[in-house]
């Protein structure tokens, strides 16, 4: 990972928990994108779910978003592709209705 910025843009997706990440504009856009894919994700095989999460990452990067995680030094670092895909999978799963 490498240092990106002390101040993420409104297109970036912030990793972590809490109101700071939930209320961030980029995370709200990310949730909207995840909702668009939830039917495909919910009804897909394991392989299709994996691919759906990759599609979500590509969509975010296509509009200029980055997947960032906070460092102990106060800077934001870009997640690996695998870390971004896991975040996308987790978010898509969160959008599914409870059984």
């Amino acid at each position: 990972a490498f240092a990106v910025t002390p101040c993420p843009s409104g297109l970036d997706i912030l990793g972590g928990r809490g109101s700071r990440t939930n209320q961030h504009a980029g995370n709200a856009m990310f949730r909207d994108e995840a909702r668009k894919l939830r039917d495909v994700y919910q009804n897909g095989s394991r392989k299709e779910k994996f691919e759906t999460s990759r599609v979500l990452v590509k969509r975010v990067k296509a509009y200029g978003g980055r997947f960032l995680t906070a460092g102990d030094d106060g800077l934001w670092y870009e997640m690996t592709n695998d870390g971004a895909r896991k975040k996308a999978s987790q978010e898509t799963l969160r959008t599914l209705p409870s059984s």
Side-chain angles (χ1 to χ4, degrees):
F2 56 94
V4 176
T5 180
C7 185
S9 83
L11 299 175
D12 294 329
I13 288 73
L14 308 182
R17 301 179 107 102
S19 62
R20 176 174 69 166
T21 58
N22 284 337
Q23 294 175 1
H24 184 70
N27 288 52
M29 288 173 52
F30 179 55
R31 284 191 298 275
D32 289 342
E33 288 296 324
R35 280 187 204 98
K36 294 175 187 174
L37 295 170
R38 75 174 160 202
D39 289 339
V40 175
Y41 191 89
Q42 183 175 18
N43 299 315
S45 66
R46 185 177 177 144
K47 183 177 179 180
E48 290 167 327
K49 288 178 181 178
F50 183 90
E51 188 57 33
T52 301
S53 63
R54 287 182 49 186
V55 167
L56 181 53
V57 170
K58 286 179 184 178
R59 285 186 183 184
V60 168
K61 289 185 176 186
Y63 65 66
R66 299 170 295 179
F67 289 82
L68 305 177
T69 186
D72 293 336
D73 56 4
L75 294 175
W76 289 90
Y77 292 82
E78 194 160 357
M79 293 179 194
T80 63
N81 285 334
D82 192 52
R85 190 204 54 78
K86 287 178 182 175
K87 173 79 173 164
S89 182
Q90 179 184 52
E91 189 59 43
T92 308
L93 191 59
R94 265 179 24 114
T95 68
L96 296 177
S98 300
S99 308

